[in-house]
Amino acid sequence: MKKTFLLSFALFIGLCWAASSFAADKKAIEKAVSSVALAGVYNAEACKSNAPEGLYIFVMEKNGKLLVHPSKDAIKDLSTPKYKVIYDELIKATSDGVWVQYQWKGKEKNTFVKDDGMKIVGCGY
């Protein structure tokens, strides 16, 4: 009984720690996206230098054309039928920013996207 309690308690503490870490990561992503959108500098260097560690910031035109993205050479336009489901989520971006979800290569992605009036800037996990 004591072992079960200790194991449950350790699991609870681990989940609490993970939740607080996740919240901090979301705030870091929001701050990074907002920083790029506010600066209005849409190049790979600016996006890379502002991105949280291990992540990347992407920039696309509202029509789906990718301007900055690690796969930009392979994926040039997200509004094509192949990527339409993703595009439909990304264009939900607002001037305040919003979290969207979509499937990418069989995995659920959570992405913060912000519409700066001309471009959509995003980052996620």
Side-chain angles (χ1 to χ4, degrees), residues 5 20 27 47 53-55 58-59 69 91 102 108 111:
F5 172 76
S20 66
K27 290 295 180 194
C47 290
E53 187 175 337
L55 300 177
F58 67 88
V59 180
H69 191 281
I91 61 169
Y102 54 90
E108 183 176 288
T111 303

Side-chain angles (χ1 to χ4, degrees), residues 4-5 25 32 42 46-47 52 62 83 88 99 103-105 113 122:
T4 304
F5 172 76
D25 291 343
Y42 307 117
C47 290
K62 291 181 183 182
Y83 303 109
D88 288 345
W99 283 92
Q103 293 289 318
W104 177 253
K105 296 184 179 182
V113 286

Side-chain angles (χ1 to χ4, degrees), residues 52-111:
E53 187 175 337
L55 300 177
Y56 62 86
I57 294 174
F58 67 88
V59 180
M60 75 174 211
E61 293 180 347
K62 291 181 183 182
N63 65 7
K65 180 181 176 186
L66 284 172
L67 301 175
V68 178
H69 191 281
S71 301
K72 182 177 159 256
D73 293 334
I75 307 168
K76 297 185 185 312
D77 186 352
L78 288 174
S79 68
T80 62
K82 182 176 180 179
Y83 303 109
K84 181 145 176 41
V85 174
I86 297 168
Y87 173 76
D88 288 345
E89 289 301 310
L90 297 178
I91 61 169
K92 292 179 180 177
T94 66
S95 59
D96 291 331
V98 63
W99 283 92
V100 297
Q101 294 179 329
Y102 54 90
Q103 293 289 318
W104 177 253
K105 296 184 179 182
K107 296 180 183 175
E108 183 176 288
K109 296 287 283 183
N110 296 282
T111 303

Side-chain angles (χ1 to χ4, degrees), residues 2-22:
K2 195 173 187 178
K3 284 183 182 179
T4 304
F5 172 76
L6 289 174
L7 183 60
S8 297
F9 183 70
L11 183 59
F12 174 74
I13 295 299
L15 289 173
C16 289
W17 177 79
S20 66
S21 175
F22 176 71

